[in-house]
Amino acid sequence: MSRVLVLGAGELGLPILCSLSHLGSNSSPASRPAITLLVRPSTLSSPSPSKTQELAHLRDLGVSFLAADIAASDNATELASHFQRFDIIISCTGFAGGPGIQLKLARAVCAVGVAHYYPWQFGVDYDVIGPEAANGIFREQCEVRRLLRGQDKTKWTIVSTGMFTSFLFEAFFGVVEGLETAGSDGEAVVRALGSWGNQVTVTTPEDIGRVVSKLVLEDQRAGVVFIAGDTVSYGRLADLVETQIGRKVRREVWSLDFLRAELETDPENQIKKYRYLFAEGKGVSWDWASTVNEELNIKTTNVQGFLSSKASPRREQ
């Protein structure tokens, strides 16, 4: 029986926990994984009705809880004392914990020789992008890879997912605006980062959860793998939005020069760093046909499907 620890139950952690529980329930009792969620002590005692309901749902799925605060832990040694009880650790902490958290987690995992680690690398291809791109926005992610490759006690799997699909449609990101009001005679805008031919890979957290659970409980391969819900050009994205809303969108290009100038005036702005990086077009897209979800025959949601679900949400089965 594998002992699996998931760090975080946010936008990605929750779908991974649900998928692990669902897939694990198909195993015999003797081989069924023991799934634990690491949560802050304050979360377990939260009076919030929504949080109480979420924790109750996870308990019903057979998930246990480990109370600990990653951000408050002073060093990797303290975290290692928690981690040493587990065979597999999946980090779903995101970047919310601030700089240094991902390295601290990786050091703690390696210090106790956890058998298999899935770090928070659910994003773009950091090997291609490198540590200095867009004012070093992914320097820590690259350092985590260097650390993991420099040791041989812990097996690791990095799952490259591209951008979360929903992020592509966030108004603050600036690529798609006005989608919610386009059906009521409001104007929708689609902007290309760099050029209309530039491509971006996107995957929903739910699809990531299903692929990751398959990798963790059945496939167990090591190294860097790639998954995708879709890989689209910004031109194709504009076409899909027009089809969805039934009318033309206003199309604009934010050139690399424009985005570079924007970043130079506000060099610590994370969103401007992201825009510039995606406009460069390196390491942010890959061929869907070469993905592990295609290899394992796991169906994923493409951009067209995502847009359709926003217009007419699918019922939960």
Side-chain angles (χ1 to χ4, degrees):
M1 180 179 68
S2 297
R3 298 165 297 173
V4 182
L5 177 66
V6 177
L7 312 179
E11 185 178 8
L12 182 57
L14 192 57
I16 286 179
L17 284 163
C18 292
S19 293
L20 285 170
S21 174
H22 175 73
L23 188 60
S25 65
N26 297 326
S27 305
S28 66
S31 60
R32 193 167 297 162
I35 304 168
T36 302
L37 169 65
L38 186 147
V39 290
R40 294 188 184 95
S42 59
T43 299
L44 288 176
S45 59
S46 172
S48 166
S50 62
K51 184 57 64 176
T52 300
Q53 185 177 15
E54 180 183 293
L55 293 174
H57 174 60
L58 290 173
R59 287 191 183 96
D60 290 342
L61 292 176
V63 176
S64 303
F65 302 110
L66 170 63
D69 192 331
I70 292 172
S73 299
D74 292 333
N75 52 54
T77 303
E78 185 176 346
L79 286 174
S81 66
H82 296 299
F83 293 170
Q84 61 187 354
R85 290 181 277 161
F86 298 94
D87 307 303
I88 302 166
I89 294 180
I90 309 168
S91 176
C92 300
T93 55
F95 299 112
I101 292 294
Q102 305 308 322
L103 269 174
K104 182 164 66 172
L105 291 173
R107 289 180 180 126
V109 164
C110 294
V112 294
V114 171
H116 204 149
Y117 183 45
Y118 293 77
W120 176 261
Q121 299 261 323
F122 302 100
V124 292
D125 189 343
Y126 304 117
D127 288 331
V128 172
I129 290 169
E132 303 307 321
N135 291 357
I137 187 172
F138 293 132
R139 186 176 292 118
E140 184 175 351
Q141 297 298 82
C142 293
E143 184 64 15
V144 168
R145 293 191 178 203
R146 188 197 66 78
L147 187 153
L148 292 174
R149 286 168 170 149
Q151 56 81 47
D152 57 9
K153 290 198 302 182
T154 294
K155 181 180 176 181
W156 52 269
T157 303
I158 286 171
V159 184
S160 300
T161 64
M163 185 188 297
F164 285 5
T165 308
S166 59
F167 192 83
L168 190 60
F169 296 91
E170 293 287 358
F172 63 78
F173 191 46
V175 171
V176 179
E177 288 188 20
L179 188 60
E180 301 297 333
T181 59
S184 55
D185 296 331
E187 183 182 45
V189 182
V190 177
R191 299 185 180 95
L193 300 181
S195 74
W196 290 112
N198 273 2
Q199 293 187 315
V200 57
T201 291
V202 295
T203 316
T204 67
E206 292 75 20
D207 287 341
I208 297 170
R210 292 189 299 116
V211 176
V212 167
S213 64
K214 194 81 168 179
L215 291 173
V216 169
L217 299 181
E218 296 181 4
D219 190 85
Q220 299 179 350
R221 74 183 69 186
V224 180
V225 301
F226 294 85
I227 71 174
D230 207 346
T231 294
V232 295
S233 68
Y234 292 103
R236 173 64 176 156
L237 173 64
D239 293 342
L240 289 169
V241 172
E242 286 182 342
T243 299
Q244 179 63 40
I245 66 176
R247 57 192 298 182
K248 293 292 185 181
V249 300
R250 177 157 56 89
R251 301 189 183 212
E252 300 177 356
V253 176
W254 278 350
S255 69
L256 195 58
D257 288 342
F258 168 76
L259 293 171
R260 183 186 296 112
E262 286 279 292
L263 183 56
E264 287 173 351
T265 62
D266 193 5
E268 298 307 313
N269 187 300
Q270 294 294 100
I271 296 301
K272 291 182 179 179
K273 289 181 182 180
Y274 280 123
R275 289 173 183 160
Y276 180 74
L277 185 141
F278 279 90
E280 285 191 307
K282 300 174 182 176
V284 298
S285 67
W286 38 88
D287 184 5
W288 187 90
S290 65
T291 60
V292 70
N293 49 282
E294 170 68 357
E295 178 189 337
L296 298 176
N297 197 29
I298 299 174
K299 294 186 182 299
T300 54
T301 304
N302 60 19
V303 169
Q304 183 177 14
F306 178 82
L307 284 168
S308 298
S309 72
K310 286 176 68 67
S312 301
R314 291 173 292 182
R315 292 184 179 180
E316 293 294 328
Q317 299 298 315

PDB file of all heavy atoms in Angstrom, residues 187-212:
ATOM      1  N   GLU A 187     -18.733  44.178 -26.305  1.00  0.00           N
ATOM      2  CA  GLU A 187     -17.659  43.832 -27.233  1.00  0.00           C
ATOM      3  C   GLU A 187     -16.671  42.885 -26.593  1.00  0.00           C
ATOM      4  O   GLU A 187     -16.236  43.083 -25.457  1.00  0.00           O
ATOM      5  CB  GLU A 187     -16.929  45.098 -27.696  1.00  0.00           C
ATOM      6  CG  GLU A 187     -15.842  44.806 -28.716  1.00  0.00           C
ATOM      7  CD  GLU A 187     -15.089  46.057 -29.146  1.00  0.00           C
ATOM      8  OE1 GLU A 187     -14.731  46.864 -28.259  1.00  0.00           O
ATOM      9  OE2 GLU A 187     -14.857  46.222 -30.351  1.00  0.00           O
ATOM     10  N   ALA A 188     -16.308  41.841 -27.324  1.00  0.00           N
ATOM     11  CA  ALA A 188     -15.259  40.928 -26.871  1.00  0.00           C
ATOM     12  C   ALA A 188     -13.974  41.250 -27.617  1.00  0.00           C
ATOM     13  O   ALA A 188     -13.999  41.607 -28.797  1.00  0.00           O
ATOM     14  CB  ALA A 188     -15.668  39.482 -27.116  1.00  0.00           C
ATOM     15  N   VAL A 189     -12.849  41.117 -26.895  1.00  0.00           N
ATOM     16  CA  VAL A 189     -11.543  41.411 -27.463  1.00  0.00           C
ATOM     17  C   VAL A 189     -10.652  40.189 -27.282  1.00  0.00           C
ATOM     18  O   VAL A 189     -10.630  39.584 -26.209  1.00  0.00           O
ATOM     19  CB  VAL A 189     -10.883  42.630 -26.768  1.00  0.00           C
ATOM     20  CG1 VAL A 189      -9.538  42.944 -27.416  1.00  0.00           C
ATOM     21  CG2 VAL A 189     -11.798  43.839 -26.802  1.00  0.00           C
ATOM     22  N   VAL A 190      -9.925  39.816 -28.324  1.00  0.00           N
ATOM     23  CA  VAL A 190      -8.911  38.772 -28.233  1.00  0.00           C
ATOM     24  C   VAL A 190      -7.593  39.373 -28.678  1.00  0.00           C
ATOM     25  O   VAL A 190      -7.500  39.977 -29.756  1.00  0.00           O
ATOM     26  CB  VAL A 190      -9.256  37.547 -29.105  1.00  0.00           C
ATOM     27  CG1 VAL A 190      -8.116  36.517 -29.035  1.00  0.00           C
ATOM     28  CG2 VAL A 190     -10.554  36.909 -28.645  1.00  0.00           C
ATOM     29  N   ARG A 191      -6.578  39.222 -27.830  1.00  0.00           N
ATOM     30  CA  ARG A 191      -5.255  39.782 -28.120  1.00  0.00           C
ATOM     31  C   ARG A 191      -4.241  38.655 -28.287  1.00  0.00           C
ATOM     32  O   ARG A 191      -4.238  37.694 -27.517  1.00  0.00           O
ATOM     33  CB  ARG A 191      -4.812  40.725 -27.007  1.00  0.00           C
ATOM     34  CG  ARG A 191      -5.728  41.927 -26.810  1.00  0.00           C
ATOM     35  CD  ARG A 191      -5.159  42.888 -25.779  1.00  0.00           C
ATOM     36  NE  ARG A 191      -6.040  44.039 -25.596  1.00  0.00           N
ATOM     37  CZ  ARG A 191      -6.960  44.131 -24.649  1.00  0.00           C
ATOM     38  NH1 ARG A 191      -7.108  43.124 -23.778  1.00  0.00           N
ATOM     39  NH2 ARG A 191      -7.736  45.197 -24.561  1.00  0.00           N
ATOM     40  N   ALA A 192      -3.394  38.802 -29.270  1.00  0.00           N
ATOM     41  CA  ALA A 192      -2.301  37.859 -29.479  1.00  0.00           C
ATOM     42  C   ALA A 192      -1.072  38.348 -28.735  1.00  0.00           C
ATOM     43  O   ALA A 192      -0.718  39.534 -28.817  1.00  0.00           O
ATOM     44  CB  ALA A 192      -2.003  37.740 -30.972  1.00  0.00           C
ATOM     45  N   LEU A 193      -0.417  37.445 -28.029  1.00  0.00           N
ATOM     46  CA  LEU A 193       0.833  37.776 -27.352  1.00  0.00           C
ATOM     47  C   LEU A 193       1.977  37.465 -28.317  1.00  0.00           C
ATOM     48  O   LEU A 193       2.282  36.302 -28.568  1.00  0.00           O
ATOM     49  CB  LEU A 193       0.973  36.982 -26.055  1.00  0.00           C
ATOM     50  CG  LEU A 193      -0.118  37.209 -25.004  1.00  0.00           C
ATOM     51  CD1 LEU A 193       0.151  36.383 -23.751  1.00  0.00           C
ATOM     52  CD2 LEU A 193      -0.241  38.680 -24.649  1.00  0.00           C
ATOM     53  N   GLY A 194       2.561  38.511 -28.890  1.00  0.00           N
ATOM     54  CA  GLY A 194       3.657  38.350 -29.842  1.00  0.00           C
ATOM     55  C   GLY A 194       3.188  38.341 -31.276  1.00  0.00           C
ATOM     56  O   GLY A 194       3.567  39.200 -32.072  1.00  0.00           O
ATOM     57  N   SER A 195       2.349  37.385 -31.633  1.00  0.00           N
ATOM     58  CA  SER A 195       1.819  37.288 -32.997  1.00  0.00           C
ATOM     59  C   SER A 195       0.640  36.340 -32.994  1.00  0.00           C
ATOM     60  O   SER A 195       0.472  35.528 -32.069  1.00  0.00           O
ATOM     61  CB  SER A 195       2.887  36.793 -33.974  1.00  0.00           C
ATOM     62  OG  SER A 195       3.122  35.410 -33.790  1.00  0.00           O
ATOM     63  N   TRP A 196      -0.162  36.384 -34.057  1.00  0.00           N
ATOM     64  CA  TRP A 196      -1.319  35.486 -34.164  1.00  0.00           C
ATOM     65  C   TRP A 196      -0.888  34.046 -34.353  1.00  0.00           C
ATOM     66  O   TRP A 196      -1.635  33.116 -34.039  1.00  0.00           O
ATOM     67  CB  TRP A 196      -2.226  35.925 -35.316  1.00  0.00           C
ATOM     68  CG  TRP A 196      -2.934  37.217 -35.035  1.00  0.00           C
ATOM     69  CD1 TRP A 196      -2.739  38.412 -35.647  1.00  0.00           C
ATOM     70  CD2 TRP A 196      -3.932  37.445 -34.033  1.00  0.00           C
ATOM     71  NE1 TRP A 196      -3.555  39.381 -35.089  1.00  0.00           N
ATOM     72  CE2 TRP A 196      -4.300  38.804 -34.096  1.00  0.00           C
ATOM     73  CE3 TRP A 196      -4.556  36.625 -33.085  1.00  0.00           C
ATOM     74  CZ2 TRP A 196      -5.252  39.364 -33.253  1.00  0.00           C
ATOM     75  CZ3 TRP A 196      -5.506  37.179 -32.239  1.00  0.00           C
ATOM     76  CH2 TRP A 196      -5.846  38.536 -32.327  1.00  0.00           C
ATOM     77  N   GLY A 197       0.318  33.839 -34.842  1.00  0.00           N
ATOM     78  CA  GLY A 197       0.807  32.478 -35.046  1.00  0.00           C
ATOM     79  C   GLY A 197       1.405  31.844 -33.814  1.00  0.00           C
ATOM     80  O   GLY A 197       1.592  30.616 -33.780  1.00  0.00           O
ATOM     81  N   ASN A 198       1.735  32.631 -32.800  1.00  0.00           N
ATOM     82  CA  ASN A 198       2.263  32.067 -31.560  1.00  0.00           C
ATOM     83  C   ASN A 198       1.251  31.094 -30.954  1.00  0.00           C
ATOM     84  O   ASN A 198       0.040  31.345 -30.985  1.00  0.00           O
ATOM     85  CB  ASN A 198       2.561  33.177 -30.553  1.00  0.00           C
ATOM     86  CG  ASN A 198       3.950  33.750 -30.720  1.00  0.00           C
ATOM     87  OD1 ASN A 198       4.692  33.343 -31.606  1.00  0.00           O
ATOM     88  ND2 ASN A 198       4.311  34.715 -29.879  1.00  0.00           N
ATOM     89  N   GLN A 199       1.776  30.018 -30.359  1.00  0.00           N
ATOM     90  CA  GLN A 199       0.906  29.003 -29.779  1.00  0.00           C
ATOM     91  C   GLN A 199       1.073  28.915 -28.269  1.00  0.00           C
ATOM     92  O   GLN A 199       2.121  29.265 -27.720  1.00  0.00           O
ATOM     93  CB  GLN A 199       1.192  27.639 -30.409  1.00  0.00           C
ATOM     94  CG  GLN A 199       0.809  27.536 -31.880  1.00  0.00           C
ATOM     95  CD  GLN A 199       0.964  26.124 -32.400  1.00  0.00           C
ATOM     96  OE1 GLN A 199       1.967  25.460 -32.147  1.00  0.00           O
ATOM     97  NE2 GLN A 199      -0.035  25.642 -33.128  1.00  0.00           N
ATOM     98  N   VAL A 200       0.037  28.396 -27.615  1.00  0.00           N
ATOM     99  CA  VAL A 200       0.067  28.191 -26.174  1.00  0.00           C
ATOM    100  C   VAL A 200      -0.617  26.865 -25.868  1.00  0.00           C
ATOM    101  O   VAL A 200      -1.633  26.520 -26.478  1.00  0.00           O
ATOM    102  CB  VAL A 200      -0.623  29.359 -25.426  1.00  0.00           C
ATOM    103  CG1 VAL A 200      -2.061  29.547 -25.883  1.00  0.00           C
ATOM    104  CG2 VAL A 200      -0.563  29.156 -23.917  1.00  0.00           C
ATOM    105  N   THR A 201      -0.039  26.095 -24.945  1.00  0.00           N
ATOM    106  CA  THR A 201      -0.647  24.842 -24.493  1.00  0.00           C
ATOM    107  C   THR A 201      -1.413  25.103 -23.205  1.00  0.00           C
ATOM    108  O   THR A 201      -0.911  25.797 -22.308  1.00  0.00           O
ATOM    109  CB  THR A 201       0.421  23.763 -24.267  1.00  0.00           C
ATOM    110  OG1 THR A 201       0.971  23.377 -25.532  1.00  0.00           O
ATOM    111  CG2 THR A 201      -0.162  22.533 -23.591  1.00  0.00           C
ATOM    112  N   VAL A 202      -2.621  24.554 -23.121  1.00  0.00           N
ATOM    113  CA  VAL A 202      -3.471  24.740 -21.938  1.00  0.00           C
ATOM    114  C   VAL A 202      -4.062  23.404 -21.509  1.00  0.00           C
ATOM    115  O   VAL A 202      -4.294  22.513 -22.331  1.00  0.00           O
ATOM    116  CB  VAL A 202      -4.612  25.754 -22.213  1.00  0.00           C
ATOM    117  CG1 VAL A 202      -4.057  27.142 -22.475  1.00  0.00           C
ATOM    118  CG2 VAL A 202      -5.481  25.302 -23.394  1.00  0.00           C
ATOM    119  N   THR A 203      -4.308  23.267 -20.206  1.00  0.00           N
ATOM    120  CA  THR A 203      -4.931  22.067 -19.652  1.00  0.00           C
ATOM    121  C   THR A 203      -5.772  22.471 -18.451  1.00  0.00           C
ATOM    122  O   THR A 203      -5.366  23.335 -17.673  1.00  0.00           O
ATOM    123  CB  THR A 203      -3.878  21.029 -19.199  1.00  0.00           C
ATOM    124  OG1 THR A 203      -2.845  20.911 -20.188  1.00  0.00           O
ATOM    125  CG2 THR A 203      -4.504  19.671 -18.963  1.00  0.00           C
ATOM    126  N   THR A 204      -6.926  21.844 -18.267  1.00  0.00           N
ATOM    127  CA  THR A 204      -7.753  22.138 -17.097  1.00  0.00           C
ATOM    128  C   THR A 204      -7.212  21.394 -15.872  1.00  0.00           C
ATOM    129  O   THR A 204      -6.641  20.301 -16.006  1.00  0.00           O
ATOM    130  CB  THR A 204      -9.219  21.718 -17.310  1.00  0.00           C
ATOM    131  OG1 THR A 204      -9.285  20.286 -17.389  1.00  0.00           O
ATOM    132  CG2 THR A 204      -9.800  22.343 -18.572  1.00  0.00           C
ATOM    133  N   PRO A 205      -7.399  21.947 -14.668  1.00  0.00           N
ATOM    134  CA  PRO A 205      -6.972  21.241 -13.458  1.00  0.00           C
ATOM    135  C   PRO A 205      -7.616  19.864 -13.310  1.00  0.00           C
ATOM    136  O   PRO A 205      -6.979  18.930 -12.812  1.00  0.00           O
ATOM    137  CB  PRO A 205      -7.415  22.186 -12.333  1.00  0.00           C
ATOM    138  CG  PRO A 205      -7.389  23.544 -12.960  1.00  0.00           C
ATOM    139  CD  PRO A 205      -7.861  23.316 -14.366  1.00  0.00           C
ATOM    140  N   GLU A 206      -8.867  19.722 -13.755  1.00  0.00           N
ATOM    141  CA  GLU A 206      -9.540  18.427 -13.657  1.00  0.00           C
ATOM    142  C   GLU A 206      -8.834  17.379 -14.516  1.00  0.00           C
ATOM    143  O   GLU A 206      -8.646  16.231 -14.085  1.00  0.00           O
ATOM    144  CB  GLU A 206     -11.002  18.570 -14.086  1.00  0.00           C
ATOM    145  CG  GLU A 206     -11.869  19.389 -13.143  1.00  0.00           C
ATOM    146  CD  GLU A 206     -11.614  20.888 -13.240  1.00  0.00           C
ATOM    147  OE1 GLU A 206     -11.052  21.348 -14.276  1.00  0.00           O
ATOM    148  OE2 GLU A 206     -11.970  21.599 -12.282  1.00  0.00           O
ATOM    149  N   ASP A 207      -8.430  17.777 -15.713  1.00  0.00           N
ATOM    150  CA  ASP A 207      -7.702  16.842 -16.577  1.00  0.00           C
ATOM    151  C   ASP A 207      -6.322  16.536 -16.019  1.00  0.00           C
ATOM    152  O   ASP A 207      -5.845  15.398 -16.091  1.00  0.00           O
ATOM    153  CB  ASP A 207      -7.581  17.423 -17.989  1.00  0.00           C
ATOM    154  CG  ASP A 207      -8.890  17.392 -18.757  1.00  0.00           C
ATOM    155  OD1 ASP A 207      -9.788  16.624 -18.367  1.00  0.00           O
ATOM    156  OD2 ASP A 207      -9.025  18.148 -19.737  1.00  0.00           O
ATOM    157  N   ILE A 208      -5.661  17.546 -15.459  1.00  0.00           N
ATOM    158  CA  ILE A 208      -4.360  17.316 -14.833  1.00  0.00           C
ATOM    159  C   ILE A 208      -4.510  16.298 -13.703  1.00  0.00           C
ATOM    160  O   ILE A 208      -3.696  15.375 -13.559  1.00  0.00           O
ATOM    161  CB  ILE A 208      -3.767  18.626 -14.289  1.00  0.00           C
ATOM    162  CG1 ILE A 208      -3.499  19.608 -15.437  1.00  0.00           C
ATOM    163  CG2 ILE A 208      -2.454  18.355 -13.527  1.00  0.00           C
ATOM    164  CD1 ILE A 208      -3.143  21.005 -14.965  1.00  0.00           C
ATOM    165  N   GLY A 209      -5.577  16.443 -12.925  1.00  0.00           N
ATOM    166  CA  GLY A 209      -5.813  15.520 -11.816  1.00  0.00           C
ATOM    167  C   GLY A 209      -5.949  14.080 -12.288  1.00  0.00           C
ATOM    168  O   GLY A 209      -5.389  13.158 -11.681  1.00  0.00           O
ATOM    169  N   ARG A 210      -6.662  13.880 -13.390  1.00  0.00           N
ATOM    170  CA  ARG A 210      -6.865  12.516 -13.891  1.00  0.00           C
ATOM    171  C   ARG A 210      -5.575  11.925 -14.438  1.00  0.00           C
ATOM    172  O   ARG A 210      -5.288  10.742 -14.217  1.00  0.00           O
ATOM    173  CB  ARG A 210      -7.968  12.520 -14.955  1.00  0.00           C
ATOM    174  CG  ARG A 210      -9.343  12.839 -14.388  1.00  0.00           C
ATOM    175  CD  ARG A 210     -10.476  12.635 -15.365  1.00  0.00           C
ATOM    176  NE  ARG A 210     -10.349  13.493 -16.544  1.00  0.00           N
ATOM    177  CZ  ARG A 210     -10.172  13.041 -17.764  1.00  0.00           C
ATOM    178  NH1 ARG A 210     -10.072  11.745 -17.991  1.00  0.00           N
ATOM    179  NH2 ARG A 210     -10.084  13.875 -18.776  1.00  0.00           N
ATOM    180  N   VAL A 211      -4.791  12.747 -15.129  1.00  0.00           N
ATOM    181  CA  VAL A 211      -3.526  12.234 -15.671  1.00  0.00           C
ATOM    182  C   VAL A 211      -2.528  11.965 -14.549  1.00  0.00           C
ATOM    183  O   VAL A 211      -1.861  10.922 -14.533  1.00  0.00           O
ATOM    184  CB  VAL A 211      -2.939  13.223 -16.699  1.00  0.00           C
ATOM    185  CG1 VAL A 211      -1.577  12.723 -17.186  1.00  0.00           C
ATOM    186  CG2 VAL A 211      -3.881  13.407 -17.889  1.00  0.00           C
ATOM    187  N   VAL A 212      -2.418  12.890 -13.609  1.00  0.00           N
ATOM    188  CA  VAL A 212      -1.466  12.720 -12.511  1.00  0.00           C
ATOM    189  C   VAL A 212      -1.808  11.483 -11.679  1.00  0.00           C
ATOM    190  O   VAL A 212      -0.914  10.701 -11.299  1.00  0.00           O
ATOM    191  CB  VAL A 212      -1.416  13.978 -11.624  1.00  0.00           C
ATOM    192  CG1 VAL A 212      -0.673  13.703 -10.314  1.00  0.00           C
ATOM    193  CG2 VAL A 212      -0.746  15.124 -12.368  1.00  0.00           C
TER     194      VAL A 212
END
